[in-house]
């Protein structure tokens, strides 16, 4: 088994001179240090940033001030880029060096930290003074179907006698999504229009009536492989920069009509929301977990997807929640209500297996490509990651604290995803939030 990469950056005793980073409830302690891209309220140019408490280390300003000089000019230039793609191109090893250098800069007990604190007004900006944008220029987006509980629940609605298709336990199922409609957290989502076919009625074109969210984890690819080359599973994690929260919005009635024979199309391509902060695999090292334990009788992964180290520690203990706040609840100043609570440990396929399978035909995976895990659902009803499952295709609507009922999403609904990791002996780290509010469909006049 490959050794753990726990190092000084994971030390639970570390403290930052940014006081909010020492709060036990923060998603962004010094042990995390996720990467994102932001704009100052007064400036159009994007900056790479590293989250620390309720503040951000401005990597452009820090690099220009010489804070990363020891890492060399190539990394320095990447940190002054307009997106994370340049850093993704360099790969995990260089990203690891940046995170370690940022840890020293933000610690309260290092010479680098003393120097950085003196430059605070130059290199640190409050999260309340910036706008987060997409962390990368995403060239390609692939969405997988890696939760066997989600696949079984959905399959049972349409094929009660055979909910899982014969290939599921052999092949990490996925489809090629639309990168152009990936949007930053907080961007409103307009209800899509499309073809639906209710019952025996003829098909009609109009707004979807069955709009849904999908609770997912996204994985950003780093490094690259040439067209025709594959990524062995034992090396696949070196090609994953980090993880984020992802909402792959879905129009279920459109999907039911259009998916045969080629799969998802307009029911998925109208919007996919990603959270702003990319939590590195290095920050997630203390929260490793075994891969999903396949039940007796399930086939083992084929040889190209099988790696003992990946089976032993290829999972991640990430707690995930979905919250909803309707327009009526906002008007009454009522808080959001939690709809589900689950864990990323429930996934049948690991992140490494997803990337390896994607490249197994020689597909060239490029820096900034995004992989979606597919809906994260667990074995209990409370851990189901979409309304399609929670309401059993609308047959069992939810009742909100406001008295409103939901089979699917209504205009004005705001969906909030949250994710975090906690374990004894480690400092809790989080992903922040992934938010999106539903806006009414466009009209013919628009």
């Amino acid at each position: 088994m490959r050794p753990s990469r726990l190092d000084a950056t994971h030390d639970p005793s570390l403290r930052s001179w940014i006081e909010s980073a020492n709060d036990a409830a923060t998603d962004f302690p010094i042990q995390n240090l996720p990467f994102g891209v932001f704009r100052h309220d007064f400036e159009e140019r994007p900056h790479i940033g590293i989250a620390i408490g309720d503040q951000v280390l401005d990597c452009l300003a820090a690099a220009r001030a010489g804070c990363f000089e020891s890492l060399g000019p190539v990394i320095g230039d990447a940190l002054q880029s307009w997106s994370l793609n340049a850093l993704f191109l360099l790969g995990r090893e260089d990203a690891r060096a940046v995170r370690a250098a940022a840890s020293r800069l933000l610690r309260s007990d290092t010479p680098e930290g003393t120097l950085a604190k003196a430059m605070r007004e130059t290199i640190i900006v409050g999260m309340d003074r910036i706008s987060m944008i997409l962390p990368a220029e995403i060239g390609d987006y692939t969405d997988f179907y890696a939760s066997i509980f989600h696949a079984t629940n959905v399959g049972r609605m349409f094929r009660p006698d055979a909910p899982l298709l014969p290939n599921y336990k052999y092949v990490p199922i996925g489809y090629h999504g639309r990168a152009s409609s990936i949007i930053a957290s907080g961007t409103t989502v307009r209800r899509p229009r499309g073809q639906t076919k209710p019952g025996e009625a003829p098909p009609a074109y109009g707004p979807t009536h069955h709009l849904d969210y999908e609770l997912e984890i996204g994985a950003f690819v780093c490094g690259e492989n040439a067209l025709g080359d594959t990524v062995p599973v034992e090396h696949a994690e070196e090609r994953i920069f980090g993880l984020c929260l992802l909402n792959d919005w879905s129009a279920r009635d459109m999907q039911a009509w259009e998916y045969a024979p080629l799969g998802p199309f307009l029911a998925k391509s109208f919007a996919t929301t990603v959270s702003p902060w990319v939590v590195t695999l290095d920050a997630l090292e203390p929260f490793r977990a075994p891969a999903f334990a396949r039940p007796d009788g399930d086939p083992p992964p084929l040889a190209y997807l099988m790696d003992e180290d990946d089976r032993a520690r290829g999972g991640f203990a990430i707690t995930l929640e979905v919250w909803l706040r309707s327009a009526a609840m906002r008007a009454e100043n009522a808080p959001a209500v939690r709809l589900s609570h689950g864990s990323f440990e429930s996934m049948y396929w690991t992140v490494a297996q997803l990337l390896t399978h994607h490249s197994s035909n020689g597909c060239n995976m490029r820096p900034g490509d995004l992989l979606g895990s597919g809906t994260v659902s667990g074995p209990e009803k409370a851990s189901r990651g979409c309304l399609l499952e929670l309401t059993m295709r609308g047959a069992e609507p939810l009742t909100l604290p406001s008295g409103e009922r939901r089979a699917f999403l209504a205009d004005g609904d705001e969906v909030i995803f949250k994710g975090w990791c906690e374990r004894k002996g480690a400092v809790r780290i989080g992903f922040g939030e992934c938010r999106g509010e539903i806006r009414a469909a466009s009209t013919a006049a628009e």
Side-chain angles (χ1 to χ4, degrees):
M1 183 182 296
R2 291 186 290 277
S4 167
R5 278 193 163 146
L6 288 174
D7 57 32
T9 66
H10 304 105
D11 185 347
S13 69
L14 292 186
R15 293 294 180 269
S16 174
W17 49 267
I18 303 285
E19 284 303 320
S20 59
N22 302 322
D23 185 335
T26 185
D27 276 355
F28 308 124
I30 195 169
Q31 289 82 2
N32 191 351
L33 303 179
F35 291 76
V37 178
F38 70 92
R39 286 193 179 103
H40 288 284
D41 290 343
F42 55 83
E43 183 184 11
E44 183 66 20
R45 190 208 194 281
H47 295 220
I48 292 174
I50 295 175
I52 179 74
D54 61 3
Q55 306 290 304
V56 176
L57 174 65
D58 183 338
C59 291
L60 173 65
R64 288 178 174 176
C67 295
F68 294 105
E69 192 172 24
S70 63
L71 301 182
V74 175
I75 293 179
D77 287 346
L79 290 172
Q80 297 176 66
S81 181
W82 290 45
S83 74
L84 289 175
N85 291 68
L87 197 56
F88 289 167
L89 175 62
L90 296 181
R92 280 281 303 279
E93 196 62 39
D94 285 334
R96 193 174 293 125
V98 173
R99 182 172 170 275
S103 178
R104 293 189 295 271
L105 285 171
L106 295 165
R107 283 175 58 171
S108 57
D109 62 349
T110 62
E112 297 96 327
T114 300
L115 177 63
K117 185 176 182 180
M119 294 189 291
R120 176 174 186 151
E121 296 301 317
T122 301
I123 65 173
I124 298 293
V125 59
M127 289 187 180
D128 59 348
R129 296 173 52 205
I130 61 175
S131 300
M132 301 302 298
I133 62 176
L134 286 175
E137 296 174 7
I138 300 166
D140 281 296
Y141 163 52
T142 302
D143 194 42
F144 283 91
Y145 200 47
S147 166
I148 195 169
F149 299 107
H150 173 65
T152 301
N153 289 336
V154 173
R156 190 173 286 124
M157 297 175 196
F158 299 94
R159 300 177 302 275
D161 297 329
L164 282 184
L165 294 174
N167 61 354
Y168 187 84
K169 296 179 180 180
Y170 291 92
V171 179
I173 304 297
Y175 75 95
H176 193 272
R178 182 74 184 175
S180 66
S181 54
I182 296 175
I183 54 179
S185 177
T187 307
T188 57
V189 175
R190 175 164 277 186
R191 182 177 295 272
R193 290 175 171 271
Q195 282 195 31
T196 60
K197 189 181 184 302
E200 298 301 318
Y205 174 80
T208 177
H209 297 291
H210 294 171
L211 185 56
D212 201 356
Y213 59 80
E214 289 191 349
L215 173 64
E216 302 194 23
I217 288 289
F220 278 101
V221 174
C222 63
E224 55 186 341
N225 56 290
L227 183 65
D229 289 348
T230 63
V231 180
V233 66
E234 62 269 23
H235 301 306
E237 283 195 359
E238 285 301 304
R239 297 291 311 281
I240 299 293
F241 183 92
L243 308 181
C244 66
L245 304 177
L246 185 150
N247 186 346
D248 194 37
W249 306 90
S250 298
R252 300 300 188 184
D253 44 359
M254 291 165 56
Q255 185 178 0
W257 173 235
E258 73 175 8
Y259 84 99
L262 292 181
F265 185 33
L266 301 186
K268 296 277 195 175
S269 63
F270 61 94
T272 300
T273 303
V274 296
S275 58
W277 296 109
V278 183
V279 177
T280 65
L281 291 201
D282 295 292
L284 289 165
E285 193 68 23
F287 309 101
R288 291 283 186 169
F292 182 79
R294 296 188 170 208
D296 292 342
D298 278 15
L302 296 185
Y304 77 101
L305 293 172
M306 185 62 181
D307 175 63
E308 289 301 330
D309 187 70
D310 188 53
R311 300 310 301 165
R313 56 194 302 274
F316 297 94
I318 305 171
T319 299
L320 296 167
E321 292 184 337
V322 177
W323 295 71
L324 186 142
R325 197 180 190 203
S326 70
M329 292 167 70
R330 285 197 302 278
E332 297 171 359
N333 203 28
V337 60
R338 190 177 75 179
L339 300 186
S340 68
H341 175 94
S343 173
F344 193 56
E345 292 178 89
S346 65
M347 305 304 278
Y348 197 78
W349 299 99
T350 67
V351 174
Q353 288 173 320
L354 300 184
L355 179 61
T356 289
H357 181 67
H358 202 320
S359 70
S360 65
N361 66 343
C363 177
N364 52 324
M365 308 299 294
R366 298 179 298 182
D369 285 355
L370 180 63
L371 308 181
S373 65
T375 303
V376 181
S377 290
E380 303 86 14
K381 183 173 183 178
S383 62
R384 295 176 182 175
C386 63
L387 287 174
L388 181 69
E389 293 177 80
L390 275 174
T391 70
M392 295 304 293
R393 208 179 175 188
E396 302 174 8
L398 305 175
T399 300
L400 305 180
S402 58
E404 301 168 276
R405 288 164 67 81
R406 289 288 184 275
F408 292 97
L409 295 172
D411 293 344
D413 284 351
E414 183 181 29
V415 179
I416 306 110
F417 292 173
K418 301 179 182 181
W420 69 90
C421 306
E422 53 187 352
R423 176 169 285 168
K424 186 177 181 181
V427 172
R428 176 194 182 279
I429 68 171
F431 286 74
E433 295 182 342
C434 181
R435 289 177 174 262
E437 182 182 324
I438 305 303
R439 181 182 175 189
S442 62
T443 64
E446 294 177 313

